[in-house]
Amino acid sequence: MKTVATIAELRSRLDADRAAGRTVGFVPTMGYLHDGHASLMRQARAETDVVVASIFVNPLQFGAGEDLDAYPRDLDRDTRLAEAAGVDLLFVPGADEMYPEPVLTTVSVAQLSEPLEGASRPTHFAGVATVVAKLFAIVGPCRAYFGEKDFQQLALVRRMVRDLSFPVDVVGCQTARELDGLALSSRNTYLTREEREAAPVLYRALRAGVASILAGERDPAFVRSLMAQIIEAEPLARLDYAEVVDADSFRVPDPLAGNLRLLAAVRFGRARLIDNVGVTVPAPTQGG
Ligand code: PAF
């Protein structure tokens, strides 16, 4: 595996690969890699000829007072994990390489960026869309792998790629979980032992929401409040939101129907964790 720090070097290597007929797989990350990232890298390894992963803690997607400075970093460990997962090129640009001058051009994806994470973190998705657009412009035509844990981010990236005709195939990959259901996240490292024990309540609440829908519940308010009650019963959890939306539009269908996503964000001490699960409800048939 080769570590590359400049845009020019990454571009010329990937251009040469594509000119030789090789396909490119791309896994964008903010580092502090875990097995969820490794599974994206392994999938890219299995499906494409040259695998590039990026590590860049993107300041644009952190709001004032968020954890930009505290965000965990360990490049040596990340390098070992990426290499073991089959990455060929590890792109690790500095902030000066990515943003040599103040950024005047930003990308925002209306509508999809407004509810849920967008409401809680108003500048977050413009920061994500801008850096992902920039990374796509640097990497060029590729298959890009994103985890479903950040489901709203995945939807937004897919839409941006369609709207702006990026030559990128976006591949959504299943969330990797601990045995007790907690979704893998770099931010899990912030949890104390007690908070770590409490944190699986997030996934339990989402699954209870799904179970209620599978049992016939069609009122979004009921499902929302069921999930909220389960989370709020955990003394170490502070609910940010729990919601059920249409998986494409992110609007709340009432009654619930179609391809749904249940999403929640919960604080445990310093950590703000998000998770989601999907369920499909057939539309009611005429006359019954
Ligand atoms: O999901 C992440 O780690 C980040 O939001 C991403 C896509 C690498 C952009 O900084």
Side-chain angles (χ1 to χ4, degrees):
M1 185 179 78
K2 169 102 181 100
T3 298
V4 175
T6 67
I7 294 171
E9 183 181 351
L10 186 69
R11 271 208 182 117
S12 78
R13 285 178 178 274
L14 294 176
D15 284 347
D17 282 319
R18 276 183 295 258
R22 289 189 279 273
T23 57
V24 173
F26 175 42
V27 182
T29 83
M30 296 207 301
Y32 214 70
L33 304 176
H34 49 66
D35 200 51
H37 297 112
S39 71
L40 305 182
M41 292 167 182
R42 286 192 296 264
Q43 189 168 340
R45 174 77 283 155
E47 296 177 358
T48 59
D49 299 324
V50 179
V51 178
V52 51
S54 62
I55 296 181
F56 179 61
V57 182
N58 170 39
L60 295 187
Q61 70 190 74
F62 290 79
E66 290 189 354
D67 57 344
L68 173 61
D69 293 334
Y71 198 82
R73 292 159 169 91
D74 188 341
L75 187 56
D76 290 342
R77 192 171 144 275
D78 287 352
T79 303
R80 288 194 296 276
L81 187 145
E83 183 151 35
V87 170
D88 299 302
L89 292 168
L90 189 62
F91 179 49
V92 190
D96 289 355
E97 180 69 7
M98 287 293 275
Y99 303 127
E101 51 189 338
V103 174
L104 300 184
T105 309
T106 57
V107 179
S108 68
V109 183
Q111 203 172 300
L112 294 181
S113 64
E114 285 153 20
L116 308 175
E117 283 304 283
S120 296
R121 308 179 68 192
T123 58
H124 173 65
F125 282 130
V128 170
T130 301
V131 81
V132 172
K134 187 170 170 92
L135 289 166
F136 285 172
I138 294 167
V139 171
C142 64
R143 273 166 83 80
Y145 296 80
F146 289 81
E148 282 189 346
K149 186 182 76 71
D150 297 292
F151 192 79
Q152 198 174 357
Q153 166 176 284
L154 172 60
L156 199 115
V157 169
R158 283 191 198 284
R159 184 57 190 250
M160 178 185 80
V161 162
R162 290 207 304 276
D163 284 350
L164 301 182
S165 302
F166 280 100
V168 173
D169 277 338
V170 176
V171 184
C173 306
Q174 248 191 0
T175 302
R177 298 183 181 281
E178 304 279 7
L179 288 177
D180 59 9
L182 180 66
L184 299 192
S185 163
S186 307
R187 289 188 169 100
N188 290 352
T189 186
Y190 297 151
L191 297 168
T192 63
R193 195 170 53 76
E194 292 75 15
E195 289 160 357
R196 171 64 190 83
E197 276 166 24
V201 72
L202 173 51
Y203 186 51
R204 273 205 309 281
L206 292 166
R207 288 185 41 206
V210 165
S212 75
I213 294 169
L214 290 174
E217 184 57 58
R218 296 292 178 263
D219 177 3
F222 178 92
V223 176
R224 190 185 304 137
S225 97
L226 173 70
M227 294 190 291
Q229 274 168 34
I230 293 171
I231 291 166
E232 282 164 347
E234 167 49 60
L236 294 178
R238 261 199 307 132
L239 178 67
D240 188 342
Y241 61 78
E243 189 54 277
V244 49
V245 298
D246 177 89
D248 297 316
S249 68
F250 277 76
R251 296 208 173 93
V252 180
D254 188 2
L256 294 171
N259 189 13
L260 303 172
R261 209 77 193 179
L262 290 75
L263 305 100
V266 180
R267 287 182 194 279
F268 297 89
R270 239 156 53 76
R272 180 177 179 281
L273 304 184
I274 59 173
D275 199 356
N276 66 86
V277 294
V279 62
T280 301
V281 175
T285 51
Q286 290 267 310

PDB file of all heavy atoms in Angstrom, residues 28-30 37 56 58 61 128 131-132 146 150 153, ligand 1:
ATOM      1  N   PRO A  28     -14.145   6.783   1.157  1.00  0.00           N
ATOM      2  CA  PRO A  28     -13.798   8.011   1.881  1.00  0.00           C
ATOM      3  C   PRO A  28     -14.020   7.834   3.372  1.00  0.00           C
ATOM      4  O   PRO A  28     -15.047   7.275   3.787  1.00  0.00           O
ATOM      5  CB  PRO A  28     -14.784   9.048   1.319  1.00  0.00           C
ATOM      6  CG  PRO A  28     -15.919   8.270   0.761  1.00  0.00           C
ATOM      7  CD  PRO A  28     -15.452   6.870   0.497  1.00  0.00           C
ATOM      8  N   THR A  29     -13.078   8.283   4.199  1.00  0.00           N
ATOM      9  CA  THR A  29     -13.238   8.153   5.655  1.00  0.00           C
ATOM     10  C   THR A  29     -12.646   9.383   6.356  1.00  0.00           C
ATOM     11  O   THR A  29     -11.937  10.169   5.746  1.00  0.00           O
ATOM     12  CB  THR A  29     -12.505   6.908   6.237  1.00  0.00           C
ATOM     13  OG1 THR A  29     -11.121   7.237   6.448  1.00  0.00           O
ATOM     14  CG2 THR A  29     -12.609   5.695   5.344  1.00  0.00           C
ATOM     15  N   MET A  30     -12.941   9.459   7.642  1.00  0.00           N
ATOM     16  CA  MET A  30     -12.284  10.472   8.468  1.00  0.00           C
ATOM     17  C   MET A  30     -11.288   9.795   9.415  1.00  0.00           C
ATOM     18  O   MET A  30     -10.872  10.386  10.413  1.00  0.00           O
ATOM     19  CB  MET A  30     -13.310  11.282   9.260  1.00  0.00           C
ATOM     20  CG  MET A  30     -14.239  12.080   8.336  1.00  0.00           C
ATOM     21  SD  MET A  30     -14.918  13.557   9.085  1.00  0.00           S
ATOM     22  CE  MET A  30     -15.770  12.880  10.471  1.00  0.00           C
ATOM     23  N   HIS A  37     -15.316   0.276   8.528  1.00  0.00           N
ATOM     24  CA  HIS A  37     -14.539   0.790   7.391  1.00  0.00           C
ATOM     25  C   HIS A  37     -13.860  -0.366   6.654  1.00  0.00           C
ATOM     26  O   HIS A  37     -13.828  -0.392   5.424  1.00  0.00           O
ATOM     27  CB  HIS A  37     -13.439   1.750   7.879  1.00  0.00           C
ATOM     28  CG  HIS A  37     -13.936   2.985   8.554  1.00  0.00           C
ATOM     29  ND1 HIS A  37     -13.750   3.222   9.892  1.00  0.00           N
ATOM     30  CD2 HIS A  37     -14.592   4.055   8.065  1.00  0.00           C
ATOM     31  CE1 HIS A  37     -14.271   4.393  10.211  1.00  0.00           C
ATOM     32  NE2 HIS A  37     -14.797   4.920   9.115  1.00  0.00           N
ATOM     33  N   PHE A  56      -9.396  11.974   5.955  1.00  0.00           N
ATOM     34  CA  PHE A  56      -9.343  13.432   6.091  1.00  0.00           C
ATOM     35  C   PHE A  56     -10.441  13.849   7.059  1.00  0.00           C
ATOM     36  O   PHE A  56     -11.619  13.621   6.788  1.00  0.00           O
ATOM     37  CB  PHE A  56      -9.534  14.119   4.728  1.00  0.00           C
ATOM     38  CG  PHE A  56      -9.506  15.620   4.807  1.00  0.00           C
ATOM     39  CD1 PHE A  56      -8.370  16.289   5.259  1.00  0.00           C
ATOM     40  CD2 PHE A  56     -10.627  16.368   4.453  1.00  0.00           C
ATOM     41  CE1 PHE A  56      -8.340  17.675   5.359  1.00  0.00           C
ATOM     42  CE2 PHE A  56     -10.607  17.767   4.548  1.00  0.00           C
ATOM     43  CZ  PHE A  56      -9.464  18.410   4.996  1.00  0.00           C
ATOM     44  N   ASN A  58     -12.606  16.328   8.027  1.00  0.00           N
ATOM     45  CA  ASN A  58     -13.038  17.486   7.235  1.00  0.00           C
ATOM     46  C   ASN A  58     -13.620  18.584   8.124  1.00  0.00           C
ATOM     47  O   ASN A  58     -14.743  18.460   8.606  1.00  0.00           O
ATOM     48  CB  ASN A  58     -14.103  16.989   6.245  1.00  0.00           C
ATOM     49  CG  ASN A  58     -14.805  18.108   5.534  1.00  0.00           C
ATOM     50  OD1 ASN A  58     -14.184  19.096   5.168  1.00  0.00           O
ATOM     51  ND2 ASN A  58     -16.108  17.952   5.338  1.00  0.00           N
ATOM     52  N   GLN A  61     -17.414  19.983   7.969  1.00  0.00           N
ATOM     53  CA  GLN A  61     -18.637  19.299   8.387  1.00  0.00           C
ATOM     54  C   GLN A  61     -18.849  19.292   9.901  1.00  0.00           C
ATOM     55  O   GLN A  61     -19.772  18.653  10.392  1.00  0.00           O
ATOM     56  CB  GLN A  61     -18.692  17.884   7.811  1.00  0.00           C
ATOM     57  CG  GLN A  61     -17.703  16.896   8.386  1.00  0.00           C
ATOM     58  CD  GLN A  61     -17.692  15.603   7.572  1.00  0.00           C
ATOM     59  OE1 GLN A  61     -17.166  15.557   6.478  1.00  0.00           O
ATOM     60  NE2 GLN A  61     -18.288  14.539   8.108  1.00  0.00           N
ATOM     61  N   VAL A 128     -20.310  18.014   4.363  1.00  0.00           N
ATOM     62  CA  VAL A 128     -20.121  16.656   3.833  1.00  0.00           C
ATOM     63  C   VAL A 128     -20.194  16.683   2.305  1.00  0.00           C
ATOM     64  O   VAL A 128     -19.319  16.153   1.605  1.00  0.00           O
ATOM     65  CB  VAL A 128     -21.187  15.686   4.390  1.00  0.00           C
ATOM     66  CG1 VAL A 128     -21.139  14.348   3.654  1.00  0.00           C
ATOM     67  CG2 VAL A 128     -21.002  15.473   5.888  1.00  0.00           C
ATOM     68  N   VAL A 131     -17.071  18.298   0.683  1.00  0.00           N
ATOM     69  CA  VAL A 131     -15.832  17.503   0.681  1.00  0.00           C
ATOM     70  C   VAL A 131     -15.983  16.254  -0.181  1.00  0.00           C
ATOM     71  O   VAL A 131     -15.037  15.848  -0.872  1.00  0.00           O
ATOM     72  CB  VAL A 131     -15.350  17.165   2.111  1.00  0.00           C
ATOM     73  CG1 VAL A 131     -16.096  15.978   2.704  1.00  0.00           C
ATOM     74  CG2 VAL A 131     -13.859  16.871   2.116  1.00  0.00           C
ATOM     75  N   VAL A 132     -17.165  15.647  -0.178  1.00  0.00           N
ATOM     76  CA  VAL A 132     -17.346  14.442  -0.998  1.00  0.00           C
ATOM     77  C   VAL A 132     -17.285  14.819  -2.484  1.00  0.00           C
ATOM     78  O   VAL A 132     -16.656  14.122  -3.292  1.00  0.00           O
ATOM     79  CB  VAL A 132     -18.657  13.701  -0.638  1.00  0.00           C
ATOM     80  CG1 VAL A 132     -18.938  12.573  -1.621  1.00  0.00           C
ATOM     81  CG2 VAL A 132     -18.571  13.133   0.784  1.00  0.00           C
ATOM     82  N   PHE A 146     -20.024   3.633   0.773  1.00  0.00           N
ATOM     83  CA  PHE A 146     -20.461   4.374   1.965  1.00  0.00           C
ATOM     84  C   PHE A 146     -21.264   3.437   2.860  1.00  0.00           C
ATOM     85  O   PHE A 146     -22.056   2.621   2.365  1.00  0.00           O
ATOM     86  CB  PHE A 146     -21.363   5.548   1.570  1.00  0.00           C
ATOM     87  CG  PHE A 146     -20.653   6.676   0.892  1.00  0.00           C
ATOM     88  CD1 PHE A 146     -20.364   6.604  -0.462  1.00  0.00           C
ATOM     89  CD2 PHE A 146     -20.248   7.800   1.591  1.00  0.00           C
ATOM     90  CE1 PHE A 146     -19.696   7.642  -1.101  1.00  0.00           C
ATOM     91  CE2 PHE A 146     -19.581   8.843   0.966  1.00  0.00           C
ATOM     92  CZ  PHE A 146     -19.295   8.767  -0.389  1.00  0.00           C
ATOM     93  N   ASP A 150     -24.635   5.960   8.258  1.00  0.00           N
ATOM     94  CA  ASP A 150     -24.926   7.374   7.984  1.00  0.00           C
ATOM     95  C   ASP A 150     -25.921   7.408   6.820  1.00  0.00           C
ATOM     96  O   ASP A 150     -25.581   7.781   5.699  1.00  0.00           O
ATOM     97  CB  ASP A 150     -23.638   8.111   7.643  1.00  0.00           C
ATOM     98  CG  ASP A 150     -22.667   8.108   8.813  1.00  0.00           C
ATOM     99  OD1 ASP A 150     -22.960   8.755   9.820  1.00  0.00           O
ATOM    100  OD2 ASP A 150     -21.645   7.395   8.733  1.00  0.00           O
ATOM    101  N   GLN A 153     -26.658  10.709   5.062  1.00  0.00           N
ATOM    102  CA  GLN A 153     -25.482  11.090   4.265  1.00  0.00           C
ATOM    103  C   GLN A 153     -25.446  10.291   2.950  1.00  0.00           C
ATOM    104  O   GLN A 153     -25.194  10.845   1.882  1.00  0.00           O
ATOM    105  CB  GLN A 153     -24.208  10.815   5.070  1.00  0.00           C
ATOM    106  CG  GLN A 153     -22.925  10.835   4.259  1.00  0.00           C
ATOM    107  CD  GLN A 153     -21.689  10.651   5.128  1.00  0.00           C
ATOM    108  OE1 GLN A 153     -21.288  11.579   5.795  1.00  0.00           O
ATOM    109  NE2 GLN A 153     -21.084   9.482   5.115  1.00  0.00           N
TER     110      GLN A 153
HETATM  111  O1  PAF B   1     -18.761   9.398   6.760  1.00  0.00           O
HETATM  112  C1  PAF B   1     -17.685   9.999   6.906  1.00  0.00           C
HETATM  113  O2  PAF B   1     -16.733   9.487   7.496  1.00  0.00           O
HETATM  114  C2  PAF B   1     -17.546  11.412   6.364  1.00  0.00           C
HETATM  115  O3  PAF B   1     -18.736  12.122   6.477  1.00  0.00           O
HETATM  116  C3  PAF B   1     -17.020  11.455   4.913  1.00  0.00           C
HETATM  117  C4  PAF B   1     -17.981  10.792   3.952  1.00  0.00           C
HETATM  118  C5  PAF B   1     -15.674  10.757   4.842  1.00  0.00           C
HETATM  119  C6  PAF B   1     -16.834  12.909   4.476  1.00  0.00           C
HETATM  120  O4  PAF B   1     -15.927  13.581   5.284  1.00  0.00           O
END
